[in-house]
Amino acid sequence: MIIATDMPEVSRCAATACAYNTDSACHARAITIGDGEHPDCDTYFNNDGHTKRERVAGVGACKVTDCNHNEDFECSADKIELGCSGDKVNCLTYVH
Ligand code: SF4
Ligand code: SF4
């Protein structure tokens, strides 16, 4: 079995309440962007505990087809950043 590892890097994420976040960085193995039509993090998980992992997360999938970086339902940017707006976590690299 071959597992793709050439994912765009999640370079920063401001959602410090998320279980995958420590030091304003995401440490999930891979995240999915796209909550309906909005470029929000679909992997966000509000939790008291936080991961102890130190790896850098990748963008595994993106459902935001109108973003200029979206190719065939995946992100083609080198890296992305995420910020908070209300109770949503937005992809700041989204361009349209
Ligand atoms: S990118 Fe998503 S999963 Fe990762 S820390 Fe931010 S909100 Fe959580
Ligand atoms: S930059 Fe565009 S394609 Fe990449 S994750 Fe963000 S919204 Fe999706």
Side-chain angles (χ1 to χ4, degrees):
M1 184 191 296
I2 297 171
I3 298 176
T5 54
D6 56 338
M7 292 180 282
E9 177 183 312
V10 181
S11 61
R12 236 178 55 81
C13 176
T16 52
C18 177
Y20 297 108
N21 194 306
T22 49
D23 300 327
S24 298
C26 181
H27 305 287
R29 189 186 305 270
I31 65 166
T32 296
I33 297 294
D35 177 6
E37 294 174 353
H38 305 288
D40 299 335
C41 182
D42 204 30
T43 309
Y44 175 77
F45 174 39
N46 188 309
N47 196 54
D48 288 340
H50 292 269
T51 183
K52 295 175 182 59
R53 294 191 185 275
E54 295 184 357
R55 68 179 164 220
V56 177
V59 185
C62 177
K63 297 181 264 184
V64 187
T65 53
D66 72 350
C67 176
N68 292 352
H69 293 297
N70 195 298
E71 280 180 17
D72 204 18
F73 314 108
E74 293 179 351
C75 180
S76 66
D78 288 340
K79 58 186 178 182
I80 71 164
E81 279 192 37
L82 293 105
C84 291
S85 170
D87 60 350
K88 298 288 188 185
V89 186
N90 319 112
C91 177
L92 301 175
T93 312
Y94 169 82
V95 273
H96 179 61

